[in-house]
Amino acid sequence: MKANKNQSVLLFSLFLLCCGWGNAQNKKWIAPAAAINVANPIKDKVKAAVEGKKTYNQICYICHGLQGKGNGEGGMTLVPKPANFLLADIENETDGALFWKMTEGRAPMAAYKDALSETQRWQLVCYIRELQKKGSAKK
């Protein structure tokens, strides 16, 4: 009887995992409060965005698309899908939250804390804000 109960619990757990229940990637990705409150230290955001665009075009566009809509070829089969930076919920995130997400990553999004300097990551935040301005102008 004990083995049957354990097997039932195991099968139910597997069922939940297969359905995506308990999968952290199905939950909204929220940066911790400490990260949300971090201000972007870059003063010249226009110049930073120019540099951020270079980095974006090297490593980000493949998944997030050239316009930041989350529709890059490399992201088509990813679960969850790459972020569409033009959506209101992303536009409303703080610079600190965006910086934290690209720093820490969450599968399938890579963590860039070791691959990019802090300055490069802040430049990317500035470039994402430029993409959002261009996307808002088209709405």
Side-chain angles (χ1 to χ4, degrees):
M1 183 73 164
K2 198 173 203 178
N4 286 342
K5 184 177 181 182
N6 289 340
Q7 288 174 337
S8 296
V9 169
L10 179 62
L11 288 173
F12 184 69
S13 298
L14 288 172
F15 170 76
L16 292 177
L17 287 173
C18 290
C19 291
W21 297 358
N23 184 347
Q25 293 176 356
N26 287 337
K27 296 178 184 173
K28 186 171 173 141
W29 192 14
I30 301 173
I36 291 170
N37 296 321
V38 174
N40 189 332
I42 293 181
K43 301 295 180 220
D44 188 345
K45 293 186 176 39
V46 173
K47 183 178 175 183
V50 170
E51 293 302 313
K53 180 178 182 177
K54 293 175 188 176
T55 303
Y56 185 91
N57 287 339
Q58 290 173 345
I59 62 172
C60 305
Y61 89 92
I62 193 70
C63 291
H64 292 282
L66 286 174
Q67 297 172 338
K69 294 181 180 179
N71 61 350
E73 288 182 37
M76 295 296 192
T77 61
L78 297 177
V79 177
K81 295 286 185 202
N84 177 345
F85 300 131
L86 307 185
L87 295 177
D89 60 333
I90 305 294
E91 286 184 354
N92 292 332
E93 288 194 9
T94 67
D95 286 0
L98 294 177
F99 178 85
W100 178 85
K101 288 179 178 184
M102 68 179 70
T103 298
E104 297 301 321
R106 178 184 81 164
M109 165 81 179
Y112 287 100
K113 64 182 159 198
D114 295 327
L116 299 174
S117 70
E118 281 190 34
T119 299
Q120 287 174 306
R121 286 177 272 143
W122 283 117
Q123 290 169 338
L124 277 170
V125 170
C126 292
Y127 182 63
I128 290 168
R129 296 303 186 203
E130 288 300 313
L131 286 172
Q132 292 169 338
K133 287 177 191 174
K134 290 176 186 175
S136 293
K138 291 181 181 179
K139 291 179 185 175

